[in-house]
Amino acid sequence: MKSTILLSVVLTLFICLNADAQASMAKKTPKMEELKQADAIAKRFFELLKKNEIKALSEYIVDGLGSSWDDTKKIQARNDYASKFEMIALRPPKGVYGIFDGYDMIEQGFLFGSDRYFRNTYIGYFEESVLLFEFRFYVNSKNKVMLNYVGWSDKNPFEYMSTSDMLLPKYER
């Protein structure tokens, strides 16, 4: 009987402590300073895109993503990004998008339990269409925000925003 009561008390304490730990994990969100650093990274990206500085934009992405890449991979990535941005910049009727006109942030998200990895999603407005841009950021041990991923999609924004990974927990600014 004593062992049953003791086991019940231990289990109750374990459940309570586990629930409290999960609740504190849910409260982890990026710090305002880190969000500002991320905004500055995205702002610079869009400034270069607006000026149609394809080479500088490709360099900016590779510098942000490829700090640990070897020279061969950096050259290949720069060329890949440059060719993709050249295709985006083609004006209609040769291209689909044309001149970049501006952007809006449409979503910010984070990984449950982490305040060091988060995402900002933007919609970019072009002469003839829109593109969605997704930036993922990582906060390193020196509290510097690093670009971890950048990508874009031509999907319908409503469909893109309703995919399962875009429905991760959101944080309020």
Side-chain angles (χ1 to χ4, degrees), residues 62-74 146-148:
V62 170
D63 289 347
L65 293 175
S67 60
S68 64
W69 295 350
D70 63 23
D71 288 341
T72 304
K73 184 169 181 171
K74 286 181 181 182
M146 309 291 291
L147 184 62
N148 186 259

Side-chain angles (χ1 to χ4, degrees), residues 15-27 112:
I15 290 170
C16 290
L17 291 174
N18 190 28
D20 189 45
Q22 287 180 351
S24 68
M25 282 177 49
K27 294 177 184 174
F112 181 76

Side-chain angles (χ1 to χ4, degrees), residues 25 27-31 34-35 37-38 109-119 135-148 171:
M25 282 177 49
K27 294 177 184 174
K28 282 183 146 184
T29 58
K31 296 176 182 77
E34 295 161 353
L35 297 174
Q37 288 180 47
F110 66 99
L111 291 176
F112 181 76
S114 173
D115 57 352
R116 295 180 58 189
Y117 195 81
F118 57 98
R119 168 188 62 214
F135 294 78
R136 296 181 200 153
F137 302 99
Y138 165 69
V139 182
N140 69 12
S141 60
K142 298 175 185 169
N143 292 325
K144 181 179 179 192
V145 175
M146 309 291 291
L147 184 62
N148 186 259
Y171 56 90

Side-chain angles (χ1 to χ4, degrees), residues 2-166:
K2 286 182 181 181
S3 62
T4 306
I5 294 172
L6 181 61
L7 182 61
S8 296
V9 170
V10 169
L11 283 174
T12 303
L13 286 173
F14 178 74
I15 290 170
C16 290
L17 291 174
N18 190 28
D20 189 45
Q22 287 180 351
S24 68
M25 282 177 49
K27 294 177 184 174
K28 282 183 146 184
T29 58
K31 296 176 182 77
M32 186 57 73
E33 177 58 35
E34 295 161 353
L35 297 174
K36 287 179 183 178
Q37 288 180 47
D39 285 341
I41 291 169
K43 182 179 179 188
R44 180 67 180 143
F45 172 92
F46 288 118
E47 287 171 353
L48 293 169
L49 185 60
K50 187 163 184 96
K51 293 177 184 175
N52 203 25
E53 294 183 14
I54 291 170
K55 184 178 178 184
L57 183 56
S58 301
E59 287 281 333
Y60 185 68
I61 293 171
V62 170
D63 289 347
L65 293 175
S67 60
S68 64
W69 295 350
D70 63 23
D71 288 341
T72 304
K73 184 169 181 171
K74 286 181 181 182
I75 291 168
Q76 181 183 8
R78 275 188 209 106
N79 292 337
D80 287 346
Y81 282 117
S83 66
K84 290 174 184 175
F85 288 121
E86 286 171 359
M87 294 295 291
I88 289 171
L90 282 176
R91 297 195 66 186
K94 292 180 181 177
V96 177
Y97 301 101
I99 297 171
F100 177 68
D101 188 40
Y103 67 96
D104 290 320
M105 181 186 300
I106 58 174
E107 191 268 342
Q108 294 179 305
F110 66 99
L111 291 176
F112 181 76
S114 173
D115 57 352
R116 295 180 58 189
Y117 195 81
F118 57 98
R119 168 188 62 214
N120 291 350
T121 305
Y122 301 85
I123 187 167
Y125 305 103
F126 291 81
E127 181 178 8
E128 292 293 324
S129 193
V130 297
L131 282 174
L132 294 169
F133 292 88
E134 185 176 322
F135 294 78
R136 296 181 200 153
F137 302 99
Y138 165 69
V139 182
N140 69 12
S141 60
K142 298 175 185 169
N143 292 325
K144 181 179 179 192
V145 175
M146 309 291 291
L147 184 62
N148 186 259
Y149 168 85
V150 62
W152 51 92
S153 174
D154 60 355
K155 286 184 180 178
N156 175 323
F158 295 104
E159 291 172 11
Y160 184 86
M161 296 308 293
S162 65
T163 60
S164 60
D165 76 313
M166 294 306 289

